[in-house]
Amino acid sequence: MKEIIKNSSDFLFIYEAIQCNPNGDPDQENKPRMDYATNTNLVTDTRVKRFIRDFLKSNSPDERVFVDMEGNSKVSVDSKLKAVVKRTIENTVELEKAFTDSPESLKVYQEVINQKKDSEEVWKEITDKKFKHKNVNYELLAYLVKEKFIDIRMFGGAFAVGGFTKAYTGAIQLNWGYSFNKVELIDSSSIVTIMNDDSSTFGKDYRVHYSLLGFNGTINAPAAKTTGLTEDDVNEFRSAIWESIPASPTRSKLNQYPKVYLELVYIDGGSNGQFGDLRNLVEVKPKNGIDSKQVRKLSDLEIDFKPLLDLLKSNKGEGKKIKEIIIKTSPEISIEV
């Protein structure tokens, strides 16, 4: 029996982007997302989750990622769920496993299978509005989420297929990231050639000079009870968020490297958000003599973790809020608690 997580956590994740486009804005010619009022670079949570999903997919022989891509397009929820359910229906051992604790539900599906024979016809029957046993569909969906799809267990997802309409709130969430430093864009006059079969077109190649991006996130134990997020899943998440950023093979995403992952695991029953947005406790500024427009690398910045470390030290220990602190840093950054 896989162990579902018991303790909630908050985490801080920081990575750098060098002469690349961390997250293009389709409404702005795919320029890096920016808050122009503050000259800070923005990256959506969806972009980071895509990094993680791609990494999990490339490092696992099994089909464990539900929200997937084909080329530059997302595979529809309808078609993916249909394919997975049909494969389960066709596999007697897998179907029996899905209803191990619910023989009556298994009997409902077996009767439909015996009547319809073909898995396509079974799918039509169980997704029909007149199908009276939608609770059985939800049992199967819960099994698939908890046993098959690690990304749904992590980040949640909404299913809107007839007979399978249900939303899962992900136990792991992170908000949009923003750069600690003011970011300058590389001159947009840079041109890239885009090859299309036997022809080529020209487009602008927008990039940032340097961006140190910070994300605040949560791992929620109560939500994990619904999605089935396990301790093994969380360990895999910690590895994936660190390894996935530099693993992206695309031209515009090269030169991105993780710098800090810091997670506060709370005591039993502790809720998320005990100390607010952890990014507020990190102070970053250009080193003396360097203008914000001249920042090109990590060593051009002074990073002060003291406010965060002081808070952690005063809240960890017997009778305190923090049970455990998990820290991973790149070689040039040292954090000790």
Side-chain angles (χ1 to χ4, degrees):
M1 190 74 176
K2 297 178 181 178
E3 184 179 5
I4 296 175
I5 65 167
K6 298 177 181 178
N7 301 86
S8 294
S9 307
D10 288 332
F11 63 86
L12 169 71
F13 178 56
I14 300 173
Y15 73 89
E16 66 179 0
I18 308 166
Q19 295 182 342
C20 64
N21 187 345
N23 187 196
D25 186 344
D27 294 327
Q28 295 288 330
E29 297 181 285
N30 208 42
K31 292 179 181 178
R33 292 182 186 273
M34 294 288 294
D35 178 349
Y36 290 104
T38 59
N39 283 341
T40 50
N41 184 205
L42 304 174
V43 172
T44 66
D45 61 317
T46 304
R47 175 63 267 182
V48 176
K49 290 174 183 176
R50 185 73 262 157
F51 277 132
I52 294 171
R53 283 185 165 106
D54 289 345
F55 180 81
L56 292 171
K57 180 182 176 183
S58 65
N59 285 273
S60 173
D62 300 320
E63 187 183 53
R64 299 191 304 152
V65 175
F66 185 82
V67 180
D68 204 355
M69 303 288 285
E70 276 188 7
N72 294 319
S73 301
K74 183 186 291 186
V75 179
S76 74
V77 171
D78 294 26
S79 61
K80 185 65 178 283
L81 183 61
K82 178 180 179 180
V84 174
V85 171
K86 285 176 65 178
R87 281 197 297 273
T88 306
I89 289 170
E90 292 167 353
N91 187 328
T92 303
V93 174
E94 190 69 37
L95 188 63
E96 291 177 351
K97 184 179 177 183
F99 295 105
T100 299
D101 299 322
S102 187
E104 289 302 315
S105 295
L106 174 62
K107 185 178 179 181
V108 169
Y109 266 18
Q110 286 174 333
E111 289 177 354
V112 175
I113 292 169
N114 290 334
Q115 290 174 1
K116 302 296 182 180
K117 306 297 183 181
D118 179 72
S119 61
E120 177 66 27
E121 293 302 313
V122 173
W123 170 258
K124 290 179 181 178
E125 175 71 15
I126 64 178
T127 56
D128 190 283
K129 291 181 179 180
K130 297 179 181 179
F131 187 60
K132 298 179 180 180
H133 305 282
K134 289 184 173 59
N135 61 303
V136 180
N137 290 347
Y138 292 130
E139 287 182 51
L140 178 61
L141 184 61
Y143 167 79
L144 293 173
V145 168
K146 292 180 179 180
E147 296 295 328
K148 299 296 182 181
F149 300 121
I150 188 171
D151 60 327
I152 303 298
R153 295 199 298 275
M154 287 180 178
F155 308 129
F159 300 89
V161 183
F164 290 90
T165 303
K166 185 176 180 61
Y168 286 88
T169 299
I172 300 177
Q173 299 294 339
L174 64 162
N175 45 24
W176 280 35
Y178 60 74
S179 62
F180 290 105
N181 62 302
K182 293 184 178 181
V183 170
E184 291 293 310
L185 299 183
I186 296 176
D187 190 345
S188 62
S189 62
S190 300
I191 300 295
V192 59
T193 302
I194 304 169
M195 303 302 296
N196 294 311
D197 298 325
D198 295 328
S199 62
S200 64
T201 58
F202 294 94
K204 292 185 177 181
D205 187 12
Y206 297 103
R207 297 172 181 242
V208 300
H209 277 293
Y210 184 84
S211 180
L212 186 66
L213 292 151
F215 296 80
N216 186 72
T218 62
I219 304 175
N220 184 265
K225 294 177 182 178
T226 301
T227 65
L229 187 76
T230 68
E231 294 290 347
D232 287 344
D233 292 335
V234 174
N235 286 331
E236 197 159 356
F237 166 77
R238 292 169 184 145
S239 175
I241 196 172
W242 188 267
E243 300 289 342
S244 65
I245 301 298
S248 177
T250 63
R251 179 175 177 271
S252 66
K253 297 295 182 287
L254 293 176
N255 295 330
Q256 299 188 97
Y257 307 102
K259 298 289 113 180
V260 175
Y261 179 83
L262 186 149
E263 181 184 335
L264 317 180
V265 182
Y266 295 114
I267 59 173
D268 294 359
S271 58
N272 294 110
Q274 299 280 333
F275 307 107
D277 191 322
L278 300 178
R279 292 173 294 186
N280 294 331
L281 300 169
V282 179
E283 298 176 1
V284 178
K285 61 182 180 181
K287 287 185 177 177
N288 289 335
I290 298 177
D291 186 85
S292 61
K293 294 183 178 182
Q294 298 173 313
V295 173
R296 297 292 184 270
K297 54 186 181 297
L298 185 66
S299 59
D300 290 337
L301 298 171
E302 288 184 0
I303 308 175
D304 185 6
F305 290 101
K306 189 175 185 303
L308 176 58
L309 298 181
D310 286 347
L311 182 143
L312 299 185
K313 290 175 182 176
S314 63
N315 283 277
K316 184 178 183 297
E318 189 67 29
K320 303 291 183 66
K321 296 179 179 180
I322 300 174
K323 176 182 180 180
E324 180 185 5
I325 300 172
I326 298 168
I327 300 176
K328 189 169 188 175
T329 66
S330 60
E332 65 270 49
I333 293 179
S334 177
I335 300 178
E336 296 182 4
V337 179

